[in-house]
Amino acid sequence: MLRSLYSGVSGMKVHQSKMDVIGNNIANVNTVGFKSSQVTFSDVLYQTSAAASGPDENTGRAGVNPKQIGLGANFASVKTTMDSTGGSQRTDNPFDLMIEGDGFFIVNNGTSNYFTKAGSFTLDANGTLCTATGYSVMGWQIDPTNPTVIKADTVSPLHIMSAENMYSEPEATTAVHFEGNIDSADSDLAGTGRVTNFTFYDNLGQSYTVQLLVKQNTQADSLIKNEYLVSVTDVLDSNGQSIFVKKEDDGMGNITYSESTITEVTLGTYTFAVGDIDEETGVPTLECDTPPVLSFNASTGKMVSIGDAEGEKSLTFSIGITGEHPFEDINVDFSALTMYANSGKTTIEGSKGGLDNLGKGRTAGNMSGVSIDTAGKIYGVYDNGVSKLLGQVVIAKFANNSGLEAVGNSLFAESQNSGEFDGIGEDITMSGGKFNVGVLESSNVDLASEFTDMITTQRGFQANSRIITTSDTLLEELINLKR
C-alpha cells in the first residue's frame, strides 16, 4: 500500500510538471518565433518479488515470468519542437525577417552569441541592427578590397547606418555624348551659331556646365553645308560662375574680375584659352585659332568625323590646370548626331555618360533608405541613385536543434548536446532557404493539441490523486482491524 501511495505522488508530480509546460506553451501562443515544448514520461524502477525462470526440459515444467511491481512515473524529457515552423505574420517592416528553412539568427549581447527564430529587428542610436532587447544582429561585412562583394568571415555586428554608410562617394564623369539633329537650313548656324552644353561631375561630386557654340564653317563650300565649327565658350560651376574668372568684392559694392588659376581647356588637340574678361560682367572670351570641324555626309546626313583625324567621332575634353585637381578627362562622343532637314530647327543635347550609359559620374549621395533582400544582403539606397552593399545577415545551424538551451527572451544558447557554432555562420541560400522580408514567424503552438493535452493531463492528475485517497482508505481499514 505504501508503494501505491508513492506511485500516486510521483504521478501527480509528473502531471503537474506537464501542466506547467502546457501553461507556458499557451502563454506564448502569440510570442514571435516561440517554439513549443512537449513532455514525455517514463516508468521508474520495478521491485522484483520473484525472478523469472526458464522451461525445464527434464521435468517438463514451463517457464515463469518475473513478478515485478512498478514504483511510479518519472519525468523523462521536455522536447522543444524546433522543426515545426510557425505561421507567417506580415508586418511590412523592412527590418523584420522570417527564416524559410532551417537555421537561427545570430545575436550577441556584447560577450556571447545567442540564437533565435524571432526576426523582429530594429536600429539603435549607432545604426546597428539589433533586437528589441538590445542584442546586436550578427552577420558578414563587405570585403575591404572589393566593396561590391561580401566577405564570409567571423560574424560581427551589422552597423548598417554607421557614419561612413550614411553617404555615397561621388564619382567623376568620364564620358559624355551628344544626340540630336543639325539642320543646315537653320539661319542661326550661319550667323551667331547655336549654343548647346553638357554637364559633368568632378571627383568631389561638384557639377559643372560646359558651353559649346556650333556654327557653320563658312570657309567650306557654301553650296554643301555639311561642316560646322564646335567651340568651347565657357565652363560654369554649380553657382553659374565661370571657372576662368576670379570675382572679388571689396565690401563697398565694388566688384572686380580677374583671371583664375584655370586659363584654358582643350577639346581633343584644340586649345581654348582665355583672351580677355569683360570688366563689367566678368564674362571671359575663349580663343582658338582653328576650332574642330564637325563633318557630316552630305548625301546621307550621318556624322562622319570631328577634328582633324579621319573617321574620329569623339574628342577628349580636359581642364587645363597643373598640380593636384579634382577634374578627370572626359570623352565627348558626337557620333549620334545627324544632319537632316527639320524645318530650319537645330536640336542638339549633351548628356552625361556614353552611348552605353557608362561613365556618367555622380554627386555625393545621402542615404535615403535601407533594404534587405531574400539572401539577407543589406543595401543602402542613396539620393544620387546609388545602391551600396552594406553587409549580410547570416544564419547558424546545429546538428541537434532540440539540444539548444532556452534562456528566455526567445533566445537559445548552444549546449553540449546541440553541437557547436563555428563562429562564421552560413549564407541562407546555400541550403536552399531564404528570408521573407517584412514578415515574422509566429509561435508554433497548436492550441487544439494544447487543450487536448490539458484535458488528459488534468484527468491523469485526478486519477493519481484517487490512488492516494484509495490507498489511505485501505490503510485506515488495516488500522481498524484491532478494534
Side-chain angles (χ1 to χ4, degrees):
M1 284 183 285
L2 290 177
R3 286 178 301 203
S4 64
L5 278 171
Y6 288 117
S7 292
V9 170
S10 68
M12 292 178 67
K13 285 183 177 180
V14 295
H15 281 85
Q16 178 58 58
S17 296
K18 183 174 182 179
M19 187 62 74
D20 292 339
V21 173
I22 294 172
N24 183 61
N25 288 342
I26 296 176
N28 287 282
V29 67
N30 288 318
T31 300
V32 173
F34 178 78
K35 297 300 181 181
S36 62
S37 300
Q38 295 177 336
V39 175
T40 57
F41 299 155
S42 64
D43 51 2
V44 192
L45 277 175
Y46 286 81
Q47 182 177 348
T48 303
S49 58
S53 62
D56 191 333
E57 295 180 358
N58 296 325
T59 63
R61 185 173 180 177
V64 178
N65 292 329
K67 298 180 179 65
Q68 294 179 295
I69 299 174
L71 301 179
N74 195 17
F75 200 64
S77 70
V78 180
K79 181 181 178 182
T80 306
T81 55
M82 290 291 193
D83 297 330
S84 175
T85 304
S88 301
Q89 177 183 343
R90 178 179 171 183
T91 66
D92 293 330
N93 184 334
F95 298 124
D96 285 345
L97 301 175
M98 175 180 172
I99 296 175
E100 289 282 354
D102 192 18
F104 297 82
F105 296 107
I106 308 161
V107 297
N108 188 284
N109 66 350
T111 57
S112 302
N113 289 325
Y114 294 91
F115 312 94
T116 182
K117 284 285 190 176
S120 179
F121 303 136
T122 185
L123 296 174
D124 68 5
N126 292 328
T128 302
L129 192 64
C130 61
T131 67
T133 52
Y135 287 61
S136 298
V137 179
M138 309 293 278
W140 294 335
Q141 310 298 330
I142 59 173
D143 190 331
T145 62
N146 184 1
T148 63
V149 299
I150 293 292
K151 184 178 182 180
D153 203 345
T154 302
V155 293
S156 57
L158 294 167
H159 305 295
I160 61 177
M161 294 188 73
S162 58
E164 62 269 20
N165 288 338
M166 293 305 295
Y167 69 94
S168 171
E169 294 183 357
E171 184 177 292
T173 301
T174 58
V176 167
H177 73 278
F178 276 91
E179 293 179 306
N181 184 67
I182 293 178
D183 191 338
S184 60
D186 186 347
S187 59
D188 287 342
L189 293 173
T192 57
R194 281 285 184 179
V195 176
T196 186
N197 58 52
F198 66 85
T199 60
F200 70 92
Y201 296 116
D202 66 10
N203 284 315
L204 303 180
Q206 300 176 92
S207 179
Y208 298 87
T209 301
V210 179
Q211 294 182 340
L212 300 180
L213 183 66
V214 180
K215 293 182 64 176
Q216 185 180 338
N217 184 7
T218 56
Q219 297 180 351
D221 190 337
S222 60
L223 296 178
I224 305 175
K225 302 176 181 178
N226 64 331
E227 292 186 358
Y228 302 88
L229 302 177
V230 179
S231 301
V232 179
T233 59
D234 206 349
V235 180
L236 307 177
D237 62 18
S238 57
N239 296 317
Q241 300 297 318
S242 174
I243 66 172
F244 304 107
V245 178
K246 181 179 179 181
K247 181 180 179 181
E248 295 178 323
D249 190 338
D250 62 2
M252 303 295 292
N254 299 316
I255 299 175
T256 58
Y257 301 96
S258 59
E259 285 188 3
S260 70
T261 56
I262 303 175
T263 59
E264 64 181 33
V265 295
T266 59
L267 190 60
T269 59
Y270 305 88
T271 301
F272 295 83
V274 177
D276 55 18
I277 298 173
D278 191 297
E279 295 180 356
E280 295 185 1
T281 64
V283 175
T285 299
L286 299 186
E287 299 176 347
C288 179
D289 293 336
T290 56
V293 176
L294 177 63
S295 302
F296 293 88
N297 187 309
S299 60
T300 64
K302 299 289 186 179
M303 189 269 188
V304 174
S305 65
I306 178 83
D308 295 331
E310 183 178 351
E312 184 63 57
K313 296 186 177 182
S314 62
L315 297 175
T316 300
F317 175 82
S318 302
I319 302 291
I321 185 172
T322 58
E324 294 184 354
H325 60 84
F327 301 104
E328 295 287 343
D329 290 347
I330 302 171
N331 182 70
V332 184
D333 188 353
F334 296 88
S335 63
L337 291 177
T338 57
M339 188 188 70
Y340 302 139
N342 191 30
S343 302
K345 297 179 181 179
T346 294
T347 55
I348 309 175
E349 182 178 0
S351 301
K352 290 189 290 290
L355 292 172
D356 55 5
N357 215 30
L358 300 177
K360 286 184 174 182
R362 58 175 180 261
T363 185
N366 295 312
M367 182 180 285
S368 59
V370 176
S371 65
I372 304 177
D373 67 11
T374 57
K377 291 183 178 179
I378 307 170
Y379 294 89
V381 181
Y382 300 85
D383 57 13
N384 62 350
V386 172
S387 179
K388 185 166 69 172
L389 184 61
L390 305 179
Q392 184 176 5
V393 179
V394 296
I395 60 172
K397 287 189 174 183
F398 296 90
N400 176 24
N401 291 338
S402 296
L404 292 169
E405 179 184 354
V407 295
N409 289 325
S410 299
L411 301 176
F412 297 92
E414 63 181 40
S415 72
Q416 292 183 349
N417 198 40
S418 65
E420 294 184 353
F421 172 56
D422 62 3
I424 297 177
E426 180 181 308
D427 185 331
I428 192 172
T429 61
M430 295 297 292
S431 54
K434 68 175 183 177
F435 291 116
N436 271 346
V437 183
V439 177
L440 293 176
E441 180 181 350
S442 301
S443 167
N444 68 348
V445 173
D446 184 345
L447 279 178
S449 296
E450 298 299 329
F451 286 146
T452 301
D453 287 345
M454 187 186 298
I455 293 170
T456 58
T457 302
Q458 179 187 10
R459 293 306 182 193
F461 187 90
Q462 289 176 334
N464 280 275
S465 68
R466 295 298 182 271
I467 294 174
I468 296 174
T469 56
T470 303
S471 297
D472 179 57
T473 302
L474 292 174
L475 286 171
E476 184 178 359
E477 290 296 328
L478 179 63
I479 293 172
N480 288 339
L481 287 176
K482 75 172 189 172
R483 294 181 181 176

